[in-house]
Amino acid sequence: MKNTLHFTLYNKKSDKKEFSKFVQNVINIGIPHYEQIIDWNTAAEMALNEEDVFYERVCDFYLMANEKKKAKDVLTYGLQRATDENYEDLKQRMDKYFK
């Protein structure tokens, strides 16, 4: 379940309470989430399981993990499912890293 809380500061007294809620979310939600990411392969696998998958990010994670075949495979998969708005970005990445 995606948390959709937003925090806005207004340079007023209420900012103290708002910022305190933000810090609590970082400590209780953000840090535990990122502590699960032990390496770039784990980051890629977690990113693939997100509701919205950003294939270019997953590709980068695999490249940083020195997993070139996985990076190319995930980018190919992303290109097959790409919308018009992100097809060109994915295609340029494919040309840059795998041609």
Side-chain angles (χ1 to χ4, degrees), residues 48 53 55-56 72-88 90:
L48 282 171
V53 176
Y55 295 101
E56 63 277 12
K72 185 176 182 181
D73 289 349
V74 80
L75 204 53
T76 300
Y77 184 83
L79 275 166
Q80 293 169 350
R81 284 148 188 79
T83 61
D84 290 342
E85 62 190 47
N86 65 357
Y87 180 86
E88 271 310 307
L90 294 173

Side-chain angles (χ1 to χ4, degrees), residues 4-5 7 10 13-14 19 22 27-28 31 33 35 42-43 55 58 61 66 74-75 78 81 85 91 97-99:
T4 56
L5 289 178
F7 300 94
Y10 297 100
K13 266 187 162 180
S14 62
F19 193 70
F22 168 75
I27 292 169
N28 295 320
I31 292 172
H33 173 76
E35 284 179 340
T42 304
Y55 295 101
V58 178
F61 294 158
N66 203 26
V74 80
L75 204 53
R81 284 148 188 79
E85 62 190 47
K91 176 83 172 83
Y97 293 113
F98 302 107
K99 292 267 176 167

Side-chain angles (χ1 to χ4, degrees), residues 9 12-21:
L9 302 177
K12 295 181 179 181
K13 266 187 162 180
S14 62
D15 286 358
K16 185 175 181 176
K17 184 176 181 184
E18 188 78 355
F19 193 70
S20 178
K21 288 191 292 187

